[in-house]
Amino acid sequence: MLRVAYLKAGPLPPLSFQVENGTCLAVEGPSGSGKSSLLRAIADLDPSSGQVFIDGAARHEIDPQAWRRAVRYVAAEPGWWTDTPRPTFETAFQGGAPAPASKVLRLLHRLGLTEGQLDQSLQTLSTGERQRLALARAVLDEPRVLLLDEPTAALDAATAALVEELLKYLMLSGLCLLLASHDQGLIARLSDARLQLAKMPAPRHGPSRAVL
């Protein structure tokens, strides 16, 4: 279970909520409402105050690298630090060990990808292909919490359905999922609860509101 207590990220008000194992919390709100800021703060990628717990263990009690392996953030346009995807898969598994080839291939197949795309230049891959490859990379070592930012924004209906089916399978395995998306259909099908963030106004109008 993921529990967030009075987490303050950027201009967002302090937020408290929890996500049970095997369930999905949808983070909703217009562009600029702070959805990405909240997910990045939970993943300990940006400064924040307050507390975050996973299965009762506080974030400050866990090594930062171990936390980011357990609580995995995937951006709408994920970053890459190699020319092709393969090297990032080779170090994505626990402790930096190579991921089992059979597991990589199964994930690629489930997402409509091929092994050959691992060796394709990232510049020649479409945004949707990079998005699905990043998702496969993110779940290889079975994180306990997955924070997804617009995971199907660049996908057509068929490939979006593949992503959705994978997420359902992972949730059945106990994954906690936080999903930031404008896709109301995806949210309706996956989410067990919703966190609504309001548009953050100019400073003179005061802070935004969050309603769970």
Side-chain angles (χ1 to χ4, degrees):
M1 180 183 73
L2 177 77
R3 183 164 69 88
V4 173
Y6 303 103
L7 183 68
K8 181 75 170 67
L12 285 170
L15 298 172
S16 297
F17 55 85
Q18 67 183 35
V19 186
E20 300 290 339
N21 294 337
T23 67
C24 172
L25 173 66
V27 182
E28 298 181 273
S31 297
S33 59
K35 299 186 296 296
S36 299
S37 296
L38 174 60
L39 297 187
R40 290 182 58 85
I42 293 171
D44 199 26
L45 296 173
D46 289 339
S48 64
S49 59
Q51 294 183 297
V52 185
F53 302 84
I54 183 168
D55 294 333
R59 183 172 64 184
H60 69 268
E61 299 173 341
I62 300 174
D63 175 78
Q65 289 188 350
W67 179 267
R68 292 175 195 133
R69 285 195 298 269
V71 181
R72 186 67 46 75
Y73 171 70
V74 184
E77 178 55 77
W80 299 88
W81 50 94
T82 57
D83 294 328
T84 66
R86 187 179 291 278
T88 66
F89 278 75
E90 291 176 346
T91 58
F93 213 60
Q94 297 169 355
S102 59
K103 189 170 187 177
V104 173
L105 292 177
R106 282 197 304 271
L107 273 172
L108 294 178
H109 178 72
R110 294 193 72 147
L111 291 170
L113 298 164
T114 67
E115 185 179 10
Q117 287 169 309
L118 294 178
D119 299 307
Q120 192 171 333
S121 169
L122 283 158
Q123 294 182 345
T124 65
L125 292 167
S126 70
T127 302
E129 288 168 338
R130 293 194 301 270
Q131 203 169 40
R132 284 177 287 150
L133 284 162
L135 176 59
R137 178 182 66 183
V139 301
L140 261 179
D141 57 351
E142 301 176 6
R144 293 150 73 186
V145 178
L146 189 61
L147 313 168
L148 295 183
D149 198 347
E150 299 291 352
T152 60
L155 305 181
D156 59 26
T159 50
L162 294 176
V163 168
E164 184 175 332
E165 286 304 311
L166 175 62
L167 296 178
K168 288 177 179 177
Y169 170 78
L170 294 172
M171 289 168 61
L172 287 173
S173 301
L175 177 80
C176 291
L177 176 62
L178 275 75
L179 172 67
S181 177
H182 288 100
D183 186 337
Q184 290 300 309
L186 181 68
I187 287 173
R189 291 187 295 271
L190 287 183
S191 67
D192 300 279
R194 301 187 182 197
L195 175 67
Q196 183 71 46
L197 302 181
K199 175 72 174 181
M200 289 186 287
R204 66 177 181 276
H205 295 146
S208 64
R209 295 178 294 105
V211 180
L212 180 59

